[in-house]
Amino acid sequence: MAEKASVTVDDKRPGPLANPLFRALWIASIASNVGTWMQDAGSGWLMTSLTSSPLLVALIQAATTLPIFVFALPAGALADMVDRRKLLILSQILAVGAAAALAVLTWAGLTDALTLLCIEATLGFAAGLSGPAFQAITPELVDRDIMPRAIALNSIGVNIARTIGPALGGLTIAAFGPAAVFAANAMLTASVAMVLFRWDRRVTPSKLPPEHFVSAMLAGLRYVRGAPLLRAVLVRTFVLFLFASALLALLPLIGRRTLGLRADQYGLLLGAMGIGALAAAFVMKRLLAGITPDRLLTASAAVLGAAMLGLAFSRSLLPALGAMAVAGAAWIIIVSTLNGAAQSATAGWVRARSLAIYLVFFQGALAAGALLWGSLASYTGTALAIAAAALGLLASLPLAWIFPLAGRMDLEPSLDWQMPVVRLDDPADRGPVMITVEYRIDPEQRGAFADAMRLLERARRRDGAYQWGLFEDTSAPGTMVEYFLVASWLEHLRQHERRTQDDVPVQARVTAFHRDADPPRVRHLIAPGRTLAAHLPLSAASTCPVGG
């Protein structure tokens, strides 16, 4: 739940906690996350009681993360289309019901390995349904200029829960058994739903009708394709957490089998990771002041790899606690840096969908890694599997040079395109639509013009075009015609709302090649449909700013 790092923070303004709704939701989210970490400790501990298979133990993480991987993008599309408050309430009710059912079944002695995996998958589905919406609502709760402080508070809240939850879970398991942990999670998760019920959410609706579900998902994918910085974030996320996933997936086996810990000691082991993460959250601002986010990410990944190696060869609780604290600090810095970079590369209109795709890569890496390292541990042993994952993580560090996170984008809407002239009956959702833009340039500048157009092509595709091309008129050298296709007239009107300030200089660079006194001619052509009157033309001409 982050915004652009370039936003200036005025420390004299009231902070996010001065907002009653943000404060209530922040406290409730901490309580819910405490319950989640208690749940994780309880489910991992229970599975080691039900089976001796390293693969089944590792599948606990896969069962939680795989549904997020599968359903995050549809959930992101929903979060950009429907009332996010109602979507969040629905997901919280589902999570409360699943945790309560597991508590009852475990108390009755009816939980087996398959039942546990199925209910954990249900909790994962609820998390996948709510994740993109939670990521996207922070800008609705606080002003833009205090957004960085809201982000920091969210990070601190998560790590407070990470610190308290596992230790509390371990103590609860030792005193009352896993069923009590699952019941506690159900009650704590309900606190978020209660706050959401009280939220009187009011947003300014778009003048356009909602997008169709499938087209909304496709628009999100096209946006990612046209956003190089976001693609770099996704690649780095998947590779890093494919290897880092071994830490959480195999930790129950390290704790119970290798170190021979009791339930309360295992909770302390998880809590050590939270303590390290919480300490790192408080110093991240100072770290970012002296190092670029890209270098901080690389350094943290190296530290995490070293901590995983330390854990793999620990044979007593004390060094394992130290390794987990270091791993927790590195983990939260990696997550925060990647999440912030993903937010920086995402425009508001597609925020939930883009962050859903980020969650797909993040959770997909955790799920795939759990399967990979759990299978490897079945053959080589737990310590060697974690060591192999750590070495793989260290070997992946050169990706920083191939997929850098450098660059900032101004993704505020520009709203500088005028509405096109339309003399047809209401085109509504007819399509497809072809937009052509005719430029007259110096023929000797074809190469430079084509280079400038490549950046403009990326913007067109990012904002909704599914096809793009550039042609030259054979009868008039230097007459260049750009065209791009969008699915419908409504989709093109949405392009007007999606254009950002970052696109303005790109368009200006292209337009600078135009040599006529009149601006480039823009035409909008709609595929004929049954509602089209026979006497009406099939196109509308426009002299509005180029591209609209």
Side-chain angles (χ1 to χ4, degrees), residues 16 51 53 57 79 127 170 191 230 254 259 290 309 324 331 356 373 382-383 402 422 431 472 483 488 535-536 541:
T51 179
S53 168
V57 174
S191 63
L230 184 56
I254 287 286
L259 301 178
L309 284 174
M324 286 299 293
W331 185 288
W373 306 117
T382 305
I402 304 173
V422 179
E472 184 173 10
Y483 86 92
S488 68
H535 66 280
L536 291 176

Side-chain angles (χ1 to χ4, degrees), residues 378-405:
S378 299
Y379 293 99
T380 65
T382 305
L384 287 179
I386 291 182
L391 293 175
L393 180 60
L394 295 173
S396 71
L397 297 182
L399 282 175
W401 286 271
I402 304 173
F403 298 99
L405 303 184

Side-chain angles (χ1 to χ4, degrees), residues 189-240:
T189 302
S191 63
V192 177
M194 293 173 63
V195 174
L196 291 170
F197 270 117
R198 294 167 47 202
W199 179 16
D200 182 17
R201 182 176 184 258
R202 298 179 183 179
V203 295
T204 303
S206 172
K207 296 179 180 179
L208 301 175
E211 297 178 72
H212 297 300
F213 181 67
V214 174
S215 64
M217 289 195 293
L218 293 176
L221 293 172
R222 280 195 298 268
Y223 184 88
V224 171
R225 180 182 177 185
L229 178 57
L230 184 56
R231 292 203 308 271
V233 173
L234 298 179
V235 171
R236 299 280 293 278
T237 296
F238 185 84
V239 173
L240 287 176

